Short mmCIF file of all heavy atoms in Angstrom, two decimals:
data_model
loop_
_atom_site.label_atom_id
_atom_site.label_comp_id
_atom_site.label_asym_id
_atom_site.label_seq_id
_atom_site.Cartn_x
_atom_site.Cartn_y
_atom_site.Cartn_z
N ASN A 27 3.89 4.02 14.83
CA ASN A 27 5.27 3.95 15.31
C ASN A 27 5.41 3.08 16.57
O ASN A 27 6.51 2.65 16.89
CB ASN A 27 5.82 5.34 15.57
CG ASN A 27 6.12 6.09 14.28
OD1 ASN A 27 6.23 5.49 13.21
ND2 ASN A 27 6.25 7.40 14.37
N ALA A 28 4.32 2.82 17.25
CA ALA A 28 4.37 1.92 18.41
C ALA A 28 4.45 0.46 17.99
O ALA A 28 4.95 -0.38 18.74
CB ALA A 28 3.14 2.15 19.29
N LYS A 29 3.95 0.18 16.78
CA LYS A 29 3.93 -1.20 16.28
C LYS A 29 4.86 -1.42 15.10
O LYS A 29 4.88 -2.49 14.51
CB LYS A 29 2.50 -1.59 15.89
CG LYS A 29 1.53 -1.60 17.06
CD LYS A 29 0.15 -2.04 16.63
CE LYS A 29 -0.81 -2.10 17.81
NZ LYS A 29 -2.18 -2.51 17.40
N ASP A 30 5.62 -0.37 14.74
CA ASP A 30 6.58 -0.47 13.63
C ASP A 30 5.92 -0.97 12.35
O ASP A 30 6.43 -1.88 11.68
CB ASP A 30 7.76 -1.39 14.00
CG ASP A 30 8.62 -0.82 15.11
OD1 ASP A 30 8.33 0.29 15.58
OD2 ASP A 30 9.59 -1.48 15.50
N THR A 31 4.78 -0.37 12.03
CA THR A 31 4.08 -0.77 10.83
C THR A 31 3.64 0.46 10.02
O THR A 31 3.43 1.54 10.57
CB THR A 31 2.83 -1.61 11.14
OG1 THR A 31 1.99 -0.86 12.02
CG2 THR A 31 3.19 -2.94 11.78
N VAL A 32 3.49 0.24 8.74
CA VAL A 32 2.93 1.24 7.85
C VAL A 32 1.86 0.56 7.00
O VAL A 32 1.99 -0.61 6.65
CB VAL A 32 4.02 1.90 6.97
CG1 VAL A 32 4.77 0.87 6.13
CG2 VAL A 32 3.44 3.00 6.11
N HIS A 33 0.79 1.28 6.74
CA HIS A 33 -0.33 0.72 6.02
C HIS A 33 -0.65 1.55 4.79
O HIS A 33 -0.36 2.75 4.73
CB HIS A 33 -1.56 0.68 6.92
CG HIS A 33 -1.37 -0.06 8.19
ND1 HIS A 33 -1.32 -1.44 8.25
CD2 HIS A 33 -1.19 0.37 9.47
CE1 HIS A 33 -1.13 -1.82 9.50
NE2 HIS A 33 -1.04 -0.75 10.26
N LEU A 34 -1.29 0.90 3.83
CA LEU A 34 -1.84 1.59 2.69
C LEU A 34 -3.27 1.09 2.51
O LEU A 34 -3.48 -0.05 2.09
CB LEU A 34 -1.01 1.34 1.43
CG LEU A 34 -1.47 2.13 0.20
CD1 LEU A 34 -1.21 3.62 0.41
CD2 LEU A 34 -0.76 1.64 -1.06
N GLN A 35 -4.22 1.93 2.85
CA GLN A 35 -5.62 1.61 2.65
C GLN A 35 -6.00 2.04 1.24
O GLN A 35 -5.88 3.23 0.90
CB GLN A 35 -6.49 2.34 3.68
CG GLN A 35 -7.97 2.06 3.53
CD GLN A 35 -8.34 0.63 3.87
OE1 GLN A 35 -7.91 0.09 4.89
NE2 GLN A 35 -9.13 -0.01 3.01
N MET A 36 -6.44 1.08 0.44
CA MET A 36 -6.76 1.36 -0.96
C MET A 36 -8.24 1.14 -1.20
O MET A 36 -8.78 0.07 -0.87
CB MET A 36 -5.95 0.44 -1.88
CG MET A 36 -4.44 0.52 -1.63
SD MET A 36 -3.49 -0.44 -2.83
CE MET A 36 -4.02 -2.09 -2.43
N GLY A 37 -8.91 2.14 -1.76
CA GLY A 37 -10.33 2.03 -2.05
C GLY A 37 -10.63 2.41 -3.48
O GLY A 37 -9.77 2.95 -4.20
N SER A 38 -11.85 2.11 -3.91
CA SER A 38 -12.27 2.40 -5.29
C SER A 38 -11.21 1.92 -6.28
O SER A 38 -10.83 2.64 -7.21
CB SER A 38 -12.52 3.90 -5.47
OG SER A 38 -13.51 4.36 -4.58
N LEU A 39 -10.77 0.71 -6.08
CA LEU A 39 -9.65 0.18 -6.89
C LEU A 39 -10.03 0.05 -8.36
O LEU A 39 -11.19 -0.26 -8.69
CB LEU A 39 -9.18 -1.15 -6.33
CG LEU A 39 -8.32 -1.00 -5.07
CD1 LEU A 39 -8.26 -2.33 -4.31
CD2 LEU A 39 -6.92 -0.54 -5.43
N LYS A 40 -9.04 0.28 -9.20
CA LYS A 40 -9.21 0.22 -10.66
C LYS A 40 -8.25 -0.81 -11.23
O LYS A 40 -7.19 -1.07 -10.64
CB LYS A 40 -8.90 1.59 -11.26
CG LYS A 40 -9.73 2.73 -10.68
CD LYS A 40 -9.28 4.06 -11.26
CE LYS A 40 -10.08 5.21 -10.66
NZ LYS A 40 -9.66 6.52 -11.21
N PRO A 41 -8.56 -1.38 -12.38
CA PRO A 41 -7.63 -2.33 -12.99
C PRO A 41 -6.23 -1.76 -13.16
O PRO A 41 -5.24 -2.51 -13.05
CB PRO A 41 -8.30 -2.64 -14.33
CG PRO A 41 -9.76 -2.47 -14.07
CD PRO A 41 -9.84 -1.30 -13.12
N GLU A 42 -6.12 -0.47 -13.41
CA GLU A 42 -4.80 0.13 -13.59
C GLU A 42 -4.01 0.24 -12.29
O GLU A 42 -2.82 0.62 -12.30
CB GLU A 42 -4.91 1.52 -14.24
CG GLU A 42 -5.88 2.45 -13.57
CD GLU A 42 -7.24 2.46 -14.27
OE1 GLU A 42 -7.74 1.36 -14.62
OE2 GLU A 42 -7.82 3.55 -14.41
N ASP A 43 -4.61 -0.11 -11.16
CA ASP A 43 -3.88 -0.18 -9.89
C ASP A 43 -3.16 -1.52 -9.74
O ASP A 43 -2.41 -1.71 -8.78
CB ASP A 43 -4.82 0.02 -8.70
CG ASP A 43 -5.43 1.41 -8.65
OD1 ASP A 43 -4.69 2.39 -8.90
OD2 ASP A 43 -6.63 1.51 -8.36
N THR A 44 -3.40 -2.44 -10.65
CA THR A 44 -2.75 -3.75 -10.60
C THR A 44 -1.24 -3.59 -10.69
O THR A 44 -0.73 -2.96 -11.62
CB THR A 44 -3.26 -4.64 -11.73
OG1 THR A 44 -4.66 -4.90 -11.53
CG2 THR A 44 -2.50 -5.95 -11.77
N ALA A 45 -0.53 -4.16 -9.73
CA ALA A 45 0.93 -4.04 -9.67
C ALA A 45 1.44 -4.82 -8.48
O ALA A 45 0.65 -5.27 -7.63
CB ALA A 45 1.35 -2.58 -9.54
N VAL A 46 2.75 -4.96 -8.40
CA VAL A 46 3.39 -5.38 -7.16
C VAL A 46 3.65 -4.12 -6.34
O VAL A 46 4.24 -3.16 -6.85
CB VAL A 46 4.70 -6.13 -7.43
CG1 VAL A 46 5.38 -6.50 -6.11
CG2 VAL A 46 4.44 -7.39 -8.26
N TYR A 47 3.21 -4.13 -5.12
CA TYR A 47 3.35 -2.97 -4.23
C TYR A 47 4.49 -3.22 -3.25
O TYR A 47 4.55 -4.29 -2.63
CB TYR A 47 2.05 -2.71 -3.49
CG TYR A 47 1.01 -2.03 -4.35
CD1 TYR A 47 0.38 -2.72 -5.38
CD2 TYR A 47 0.68 -0.70 -4.16
CE1 TYR A 47 -0.55 -2.10 -6.20
CE2 TYR A 47 -0.25 -0.06 -4.95
CZ TYR A 47 -0.86 -0.76 -5.97
OH TYR A 47 -1.80 -0.14 -6.78
N TYR A 48 5.35 -2.22 -3.12
CA TYR A 48 6.51 -2.31 -2.24
C TYR A 48 6.47 -1.21 -1.19
O TYR A 48 6.14 -0.06 -1.52
CB TYR A 48 7.80 -2.12 -3.04
CG TYR A 48 8.05 -3.14 -4.10
CD1 TYR A 48 7.56 -2.96 -5.40
CD2 TYR A 48 8.80 -4.28 -3.83
CE1 TYR A 48 7.80 -3.90 -6.39
CE2 TYR A 48 9.04 -5.23 -4.82
CZ TYR A 48 8.53 -5.03 -6.09
OH TYR A 48 8.79 -5.96 -7.06
N CYS A 49 6.83 -1.54 0.04
CA CYS A 49 7.06 -0.48 1.00
C CYS A 49 8.56 -0.20 1.07
O CYS A 49 9.38 -1.07 0.76
CB CYS A 49 6.49 -0.79 2.37
SG CYS A 49 7.27 -2.12 3.27
N ALA A 50 8.88 1.02 1.43
CA ALA A 50 10.27 1.46 1.43
C ALA A 50 10.52 2.42 2.59
O ALA A 50 9.61 3.13 3.01
CB ALA A 50 10.59 2.16 0.10
N ALA A 51 11.75 2.42 3.06
CA ALA A 51 12.15 3.29 4.17
C ALA A 51 13.37 4.11 3.78
O ALA A 51 14.31 3.58 3.17
CB ALA A 51 12.45 2.46 5.41
N ALA A 52 13.33 5.38 4.15
CA ALA A 52 14.42 6.30 3.84
C ALA A 52 15.04 6.82 5.12
O ALA A 52 14.33 7.28 6.02
CB ALA A 52 13.90 7.47 3.01
#
């Protein structure tokens, strides 16, 4: 919250994780 950022650390990736990834705010 100090840097106004959100992260997604992804590990052990699989072919089925292939996609366009979007961040969203509510």
Side-chain angles (χ1 to χ4, degrees):
N27 287 342
K29 296 182 178 179
D30 294 359
T31 57
V32 58
H33 303 285
L34 184 68
Q35 180 68 47
M36 305 186 294
S38 301
L39 283 162
K40 304 175 181 180
E42 51 263 43
D43 294 318
T44 295
V46 177
Y47 283 71
Y48 299 89
C49 67

